[in-house]
Amino acid sequence: MHFLRLYWRVLALLAADRWVAIGLGFAGLALAGLSFLEPILFGRVVDLLSRSDRLEVAQLWQEATALLALWAAVGLSGIGAHVAVALLADRMAHRNRLTVMSRYFQHVLSLPLSFHGDTQSGRLMKIMLMGADNLFGLWLSFFREHLTTFIGALVLLPMTMFLNWRLGLLLIVLVVLFAVVSAWVIRKTEAAQGQVEALHTRLAGNAQDALSNVIVVQSFSRLGSEARLFGDIVRQVLDHQFPVLNWWALVASLTRAAATVTTIAVFVLGTVLHLRGQASVGEIVSFMGFATLLIARLEQAVGFVSRLVFQLPSLEEFFAVLDSRSSVPEKPNAISLGRVAGAVRFENVAFAYPGGPRILDGIDFEAPPGRTVALVGQTGAGKSTAMALLQRLWDPVAGRVTLDGHDLRDITLDSLRRNVGVVFQEALLFNRSIRDNLLVGRPDATQEELERACRMAEAHDFIIRKPQGYDTMVGERGSAMSGGQRQRLAIARALLKDPPVLILDEATSALDAATEARVQKALKALMAGRTTFIIAHRLSTVRDADEILVFENGRVAERGSFEELVRLNGRFAELVRTQLSGAEAAHA
Ligand SMILES: Nc1ncnc2c1ncn2[C@@H]1O[C@H](COP(=O)(O)OP(=O)(O)OP(=O)(O)O)[C@@H](O)[C@H]1O
Ligand SMILES: [Mg+2]
């Protein structure tokens, strides 16, 4: 059954702690045994008392003392086992909760952009937190309670048959009935609870989406409609949740009813058997004890099973994320390259986003080490996508991309990305200090190195004008910096990384003309001695490129140096003319 498979997987996560788990298993067995011993001892004491008129006083005392001493020993060892279980189980659950969270976090971070592109980060957070909490709860309750319950039901219950098989049978019937009813309700409510969880996840995803776009929400006065959207989902959650709650309320009341019926049945059957001489008073008392114990346990089990049903979908989501594999997998024998010379080749490369049309087709070019290649063309032509292939954020559907002659699929992702630096149009920054953001480029950089890079990127001056200087926090996604400041920080970060292959994707588009001219100087210095790809709409930026590739609908329509292309008098020349006339119009 699906349900048990999942539960098994939850427990299997504790594999690293299996010795603790096995120890806890034995402690659980001891606890189960001890809890069943008490009613037996109680029964023996009652039997002893009912025989008291036929016994010598001294013998009565002797037997009673033995029984009571045994009882005390059982009680004390029960307390000991209980404390040990609680302590060990708590520690193990806490430790593994954090372990599993780190594992999830690392896994999600390593998943490719194809995964993150269509998964909201709010969902991923929610799945991690809920999943880890639920696992924690399940581990704890398994070792603290349910292990004892399972052992009790599976091993000790049949043993009551030896005490008195007729009364034992009655208890077994109760347990079987209970199992059947809860299995039935689980089946009835599983699907509905799955929907509830999916809605909860959507809720978290939407909330995060709205929160991270709070400026858009406010400036487009979307407050009301966003709240309505949230309210709609909340209502749907409740609509799906209530029927599930009804079913489990029914199970809870059935268990209660079963409890009363069983107690009465044990009493009635016990009395009949006693009158026929088939059961002693002590046995009846013992079985009353078993029944109470069992019913308490069953009630706990109902609570547990229903909780598991409620948590199952969130655990499934958690495991689904853990199981998702990268679409750019690393070969087991991938080569780790040192610092490369920087020869890049696209060999007849074609690419389509999953389920989409071809974005790139027949892309074929070579960039020898140290050369500068510019990619120009209208928006949406596939320039950034081509550079995404060079970083192996995706794999081509045909052809191959090579770095120093190695197919990107044959080298480790880490060594590839160490050799390739990128400055995007959208400078992505962590919500940390300027210094920490720069150190992402080179963790061991000294203050002098940081400042040199920032001077080259024209960033030093604005940084030291901030009251906190290099310790200024940049805000979420760099929101406390201007667009141009963010870009200059990103350039400084790339300067520090000092990679042999550099991609500048609209890296200076947010700068004013004067600053751009200064940063261009810095970029020239940066580009010296490395293979550089520049994507730019401002054609003045690409004037000095060794080769310009003009992209059109995913193909390279023209290629050559600036002068050659202007002379060709094709698309590129047309682009240059429109930009020039635009500039003249702006000056006029
Ligand atoms: N993650 C994605 N999933 C699906 N389609 C995408 C994805 N990213 C980009 N595209 C599509 O691929 C095409 C090429 O996009 P790309 O970003 O490469 O263009 P570009 O040449 O860099 O344009 P721009 O000059 O505007 O930056 C576009 O039609 C775009 O809509
Ligand atoms: Mg682009």
Side-chain angles (χ1 to χ4, degrees), residues 96-241:
N96 283 282
R97 171 165 176 268
L98 295 173
T99 311
V100 86
M101 260 166 83
S102 333
R103 203 174 121 195
Y104 177 97
F105 177 68
Q106 281 178 20
H107 178 72
V108 168
L109 275 186
S110 75
L111 284 173
L113 290 194
S114 53
F115 174 85
H116 289 281
D118 43 38
T119 314
Q120 295 158 310
S121 49
R123 287 172 55 103
L124 290 173
M125 278 293 288
K126 179 254 168 195
I127 292 175
M128 173 171 87
L129 295 177
M130 287 286 283
D133 276 351
N134 288 339
L135 285 171
F136 176 77
L138 285 178
W139 291 327
L140 258 193
S141 57
F142 178 79
F143 286 105
R144 285 183 140 202
E145 297 149 16
H146 305 120
L147 186 60
T148 332
T149 306
F150 291 141
I151 296 173
L154 289 180
V155 181
L156 299 174
L157 198 56
M159 277 164 58
T160 59
M161 298 278 286
F162 293 110
L163 274 162
N164 185 311
W165 67 267
R166 293 179 180 85
L167 287 168
L169 208 58
L170 188 65
L171 291 184
I172 289 174
V173 168
L174 168 77
V175 171
V176 170
L177 256 178
F178 163 79
V180 170
V181 171
S182 21
W184 181 65
V185 173
I186 289 174
R187 182 134 337 140
K188 279 215 99 69
T189 51
E190 237 179 336
Q193 192 57 38
Q195 272 166 338
V196 171
E197 204 52 42
L199 285 165
H200 267 301
T201 308
R202 234 177 83 196
L203 208 59
N206 270 26
Q208 194 265 348
D209 201 25
L211 285 176
S212 59
N213 286 304
V214 67
I215 298 181
V216 181
V217 172
Q218 292 184 356
S219 69
F220 284 81
S221 24
R222 296 267 314 162
L223 244 59
S225 45
E226 288 297 324
R228 242 187 331 276
L229 188 63
F230 201 81
D232 277 347
I233 306 178
V234 167
R235 252 187 311 284
Q236 287 182 52
V237 170
L238 291 179
D239 284 349
H240 284 90
Q241 187 73 85

Side-chain angles (χ1 to χ4, degrees), residues 353 359 377-386 394 425 505-506 537:
Y353 287 102
I359 301 288
Q378 86 270 47
T379 155
K383 306 177 297 288
S384 299
T385 304
W394 304 87
Q425 172 171 24
D505 191 345
E506 297 287 342
H537 283 293

Side-chain angles (χ1 to χ4, degrees), residues 35-56:
S35 65
F36 268 74
L37 269 180
E38 283 196 63
I40 295 178
L41 288 169
F42 192 24
R44 288 283 151 80
V45 173
V46 171
D47 269 344
L48 184 65
L49 291 179
S50 62
R51 282 187 289 127
S52 60
D53 44 354
R54 281 170 277 149
L55 287 175
E56 303 259 334

Side-chain angles (χ1 to χ4, degrees), residues 252-531:
S253 27
L254 282 180
T255 325
R256 273 277 87 210
T260 315
V261 171
T262 311
T263 321
I264 294 173
V266 167
F267 198 69
V268 172
L269 183 63
T271 313
V272 173
L273 292 176
H274 181 64
L275 289 179
R276 290 209 215 138
Q278 286 166 330
S280 70
V281 178
E283 275 169 13
I284 298 171
V285 170
S286 292
F287 271 88
M288 295 291 268
F290 287 145
T292 333
L293 197 75
L294 210 62
I295 285 155
R297 291 259 174 221
L298 285 188
E299 271 178 338
Q300 243 180 30
V302 171
F304 163 68
V305 172
S306 66
R307 220 173 54 227
L308 193 56
V309 167
F310 286 112
Q311 295 175 350
L312 213 62
S314 93
L315 289 171
E316 268 173 342
E317 280 181 330
F318 188 84
F319 286 130
V321 174
L322 270 192
D323 289 342
S324 51
R325 289 282 151 255
S326 172
S327 58
V328 286
E330 204 171 77
K331 287 187 183 165
N333 54 350
I335 320 162
S336 174
L337 295 182
R339 194 178 169 87
V340 299
V344 173
R345 261 193 82 126
F346 274 60
E347 295 176 13
N348 227 333
V349 168
F351 178 73
Y353 287 102
R358 285 239 160 150
I359 301 288
L360 295 175
D361 211 353
I363 303 291
D364 202 287
F365 65 85
E366 189 175 354
R371 291 284 205 93
T372 301
V373 174
L375 288 72
V376 301
Q378 86 270 47
T379 155
K383 306 177 297 288
S384 299
T385 304
M387 290 301 103
L389 297 184
L390 176 53
Q391 299 163 68
R392 203 171 174 225
L393 302 179
W394 304 87
D395 279 335
V397 292
R400 57 183 208 143
V401 182
T402 63
L403 178 61
D404 277 17
H406 299 282
D407 190 324
L408 295 190
R409 283 168 290 209
D410 294 334
I411 60 186
T412 62
L413 285 170
D414 189 54
S415 70
L416 168 67
R417 293 180 186 159
R418 255 189 289 114
N419 277 296
V420 179
V422 194
V423 182
F424 304 98
Q425 172 171 24
E426 180 82 27
L428 301 171
L429 299 175
F430 291 101
N431 186 5
R432 299 176 191 164
S433 70
I434 289 180
R435 182 193 320 279
D436 287 343
N437 271 291
L438 292 171
L439 287 176
V440 168
R442 191 193 309 163
D444 56 355
T446 62
Q447 180 65 23
E448 285 76 59
E449 286 169 324
L450 287 188
E451 287 184 13
R452 180 145 32 88
C454 288
R455 281 214 182 80
M456 279 174 85
E458 296 287 336
H460 182 69
D461 289 342
F462 89 76
I463 296 174
I464 52 170
R465 273 202 305 274
K466 300 251 172 213
Q468 259 108 38
Y470 279 82
D471 294 317
T472 310
M473 298 295 288
V474 302
E476 183 142 73
R477 289 163 175 266
S479 59
M481 302 281 127
S482 78
Q485 291 172 341
R486 278 202 292 272
Q487 276 198 339
R488 280 176 280 168
L489 289 180
I491 292 171
R493 183 168 67 183
L495 276 166
L496 280 166
K497 181 173 173 181
D498 186 29
V501 178
L502 183 67
I503 301 171
L504 304 172
D505 191 345
E506 297 287 342
T508 55
S509 59
L511 305 181
D512 62 82
T515 315
E516 192 192 5
R518 286 206 304 277
V519 173
Q520 282 297 342
K521 254 190 4 234
L523 285 180
K524 277 242 173 68
L526 172 63
M527 283 150 52
R530 48 188 117 234
T531 316

Side-chain angles (χ1 to χ4, degrees), residues 360 363 375-378 381-383 386 549-553 555-556:
L360 295 175
I363 303 291
L375 288 72
V376 301
Q378 86 270 47
K383 306 177 297 288
L549 304 172
V550 184
F551 274 67
E552 197 171 78
N553 297 326
R555 292 178 164 277
V556 178

